[in-house]
Amino acid sequence: MRRCTSFVGIVPVVVVLLVVMALPAGAKKDTPFNATMWGNDVEFDFDFALDGAAVAARCPEMIEADLVVQSLTTFVGIGNGTHLGRFVATAQHCSNVDTGLYMDGRLTIEAANGDELVGTYTNGYSVPDAIPPTEVAFFDEFSFTDGGTGRFTFASGGGAETGTFNFGTGDFTVEMTGRIAYSRK
């Protein structure tokens, strides 16, 4: 009995295998990342600024920029995002209240299943609505660099973050827009 083998069905499979094998081990798939966070759990730790050693260890960007650190500011909120679903997030940065600048931000976003996406944010600037302010709008840049657990272990990417904070109510909102990539390891 003779068999007739068709190359028509085999060729596409071979091409796909060759392309996949040609990709470097760390090849990443880059996709959009969007998240919204909100809450009213904000803490301004002005006593932190009095501890010179703690400031030097936690706020090197501020020190390098020759800015006085006046507060260690922490936000805790909930949100929803692509690649995350519902999440809980904690963000903390070094602030200079007089200039509205903030740097040395650290961000941890925990998805509902417990996977964590870890990142940083910097080049932050707050714009008051009045003097004295009742609300500020803020802007910064965030990044993820092989930081996290679970599906985010080798995640990388970044983008822009914008939001508002109301001094009277303590309410804040944050919008994150950017890109995220996952490594094949």
Side-chain angles (χ1 to χ4, degrees):
M1 175 187 239
R2 286 184 63 185
R3 282 192 175 183
C4 181
T5 306
S6 168
F7 287 104
V8 174
I10 295 174
V11 171
V13 172
V14 171
V15 169
V16 169
L17 286 174
L18 288 174
V19 168
V20 169
M21 289 170 42
L23 290 174
K28 297 183 177 203
K29 180 182 178 192
D30 186 80
T31 59
F33 176 83
N34 297 293
T36 302
M37 179 173 70
W38 60 91
N40 63 3
D41 186 358
V42 180
E43 177 185 325
F44 295 93
D45 184 354
F46 292 102
D47 290 336
F48 170 81
L50 302 176
D51 184 343
V55 169
R58 174 62 182 84
C59 307
E61 284 182 304
M62 294 284 282
I63 302 301
E64 188 176 306
D66 214 16
L67 292 168
V68 174
V69 176
Q70 296 171 320
S71 171
L72 186 63
T73 306
T74 305
F75 293 82
V76 178
I78 59 173
N80 198 0
T82 55
H83 310 274
L84 294 158
R86 290 248 326 147
F87 64 80
V88 174
T90 301
Q92 184 182 71
H93 59 257
C94 303
S95 302
N96 181 293
V97 180
D98 293 338
T99 64
L101 297 174
Y102 59 95
M103 299 176 181
D104 297 295
R106 297 178 184 169
L107 172 68
T108 301
I109 304 172
E110 183 178 340
N113 71 348
D115 290 355
E116 290 184 349
L117 180 58
V118 178
T120 60
Y121 58 101
T122 192
N123 297 326
Y125 188 71
S126 301
V127 180
D129 64 345
I131 303 295
T134 56
E135 188 170 281
V136 294
F138 55 87
F139 316 89
D140 61 59
E141 301 167 2
F142 69 89
S143 64
F144 308 119
T145 307
D146 287 345
T149 62
R151 69 183 178 274
F152 303 117
T153 300
F154 303 109
S156 63
E161 187 174 63
T162 61
T164 59
F165 171 71
N166 183 298
F167 287 99
T169 64
D171 292 341
F172 68 89
T173 60
V174 178
E175 295 286 334
M176 300 173 77
T177 304
R179 308 286 296 172
I180 190 168
Y182 301 92
S183 289
R184 283 183 37 219
K185 298 271 182 170

